[in-house]
Amino acid sequence: MAPAESRPPRRMMTSSSSEGAAAPTTRGGVTAMSGLDLIITITDRSKCESFINWFRGRDIPLVLTALGQGTATTEILDCLGLEASEKSVLFCLAPHSRCMVRRAARDLWLDVPGNGVLMTVPVSSIGGTSVKEYLTQNQEGEEPMEREIAHELILVIANQGHTDQVMEAARGAGATGGTTIHAKGTGMELAKKFFGVSIASERELVFILTRSQDKKNIMKAIMAQAGIQTPAQAMVFSVPVSDIAG
């Protein structure tokens, strides 16, 4: 199995002030964006509605919710006297704003362990000016500036029922936890031709937030212990996280 690709530390355009974000350019109906983020928030399902209302109060028009499951081991849950944690994973788009991230940390008590985590991932383009205007209406962004990436979000696509195998490998390499959502795959026939093995259509998507310096080891461990030639048949990739709260 080929190792996870190693690259020098990346730097990212992020905010320096409350001025308007750089103007987008449009080619062929696709608008290239500067300073727009995909916001991913993970919290307990009992807090989901209050989190959605908070985003709507910031004039964010579209908040998508997926039902997830925490990946704490049975031993940890038994030790703490807890049941398996049911999670909500929220997705929304907004102009990049470190001020908003700090406000979310304060208003949603994200600095208190167990209340959730919010992360932002940069968006490079949007299909159409009207969609861009809908998603960013009444919102102010911030002037981007360059800074080093401290965290990455590892995403693992694995066969249903094999989250424990993935997380055992990840924890052995330094991961502290993850969140899983159920998914249904397409293109399985092409995958069989490409990898030489059959891949189940019922899949699980595992989110693992980690420090950038730990990403390579975690990805290598997942590939080695839960990769495409194992029962988990996991595929793994990562995206940079520009800001985090929680």
Side-chain angles (χ1 to χ4, degrees):
M1 180 69 65
E5 183 180 359
S6 177
R7 296 181 178 177
R10 283 185 286 181
R11 305 184 72 82
M12 176 168 293
M13 300 300 289
T14 185
S15 58
S16 62
S17 71
S18 59
E19 299 175 7
T25 58
T26 301
R27 291 184 179 179
V30 176
T31 303
M33 297 301 302
S34 175
L36 187 72
D37 285 339
L38 170 66
I39 302 173
I40 304 173
T41 310
I42 302 172
T43 188
D44 289 342
R45 290 189 197 176
S46 61
K47 299 182 176 70
C48 178
E49 195 63 33
S50 62
F51 275 53
I52 291 173
N53 290 336
W54 188 90
F55 284 117
R56 288 176 176 164
R58 311 272 90 70
D59 292 323
I60 295 176
L62 180 65
V63 181
L64 302 178
T65 305
L67 301 183
Q69 194 78 22
T71 61
T73 63
T74 302
E75 290 80 2
I76 293 175
L77 293 172
D78 289 344
C79 179
L80 297 176
L82 301 174
E83 297 181 355
S85 56
E86 295 184 330
K87 301 291 185 181
S88 289
V89 184
L90 281 59
F91 302 89
C92 59
L93 287 166
H96 181 74
S97 171
R98 298 191 72 192
C99 179
M100 188 184 72
V101 173
R102 291 192 296 268
R103 188 176 297 121
R106 181 193 65 202
D107 294 349
L108 301 174
W109 297 83
L110 295 176
D111 291 334
V112 177
N115 278 352
V117 61
L118 178 151
M119 65 200 87
T120 63
V121 176
V123 172
S124 61
S125 58
I126 290 180
T129 302
S130 60
V131 175
K132 184 268 297 183
E133 292 174 350
Y134 164 68
L135 292 172
T136 61
Q137 57 184 311
N138 301 322
Q139 301 177 61
E140 294 185 0
E142 297 175 358
E143 184 79 16
M145 64 175 289
E146 189 175 289
R147 68 187 179 95
E148 191 169 317
I149 296 302
H151 294 83
E152 299 235 5
L153 179 64
I154 297 174
L155 296 106
V156 186
I157 304 169
N159 285 344
Q160 186 177 12
H162 291 274
T163 298
D164 289 346
Q165 183 180 350
V166 170
M167 288 307 305
E168 183 177 348
R171 287 194 180 94
T176 57
T179 299
T180 302
I181 60 176
H182 180 72
K184 191 172 182 65
T186 61
M188 297 302 108
E189 293 182 1
L190 178 60
K192 181 178 180 179
K193 294 178 182 178
F194 190 86
F195 294 112
V197 293
S198 297
I199 296 180
S201 61
E202 297 297 322
R203 309 285 273 167
E204 287 176 341
L205 179 59
V206 186
F207 295 82
I208 303 171
L209 181 64
T210 184
R211 296 178 301 176
S212 296
Q213 61 263 38
D214 297 331
K215 175 199 69 174
K216 180 180 176 181
N217 288 338
I218 294 172
M219 291 180 68
K220 288 176 66 175
I222 293 171
M223 292 162 64
Q225 301 175 42
I228 203 70
Q229 301 297 333
T230 72
Q233 296 183 315
M235 293 177 277
V236 57
F237 60 97
S238 69
V239 294
V241 172
S242 52
D243 281 299
I244 183 174

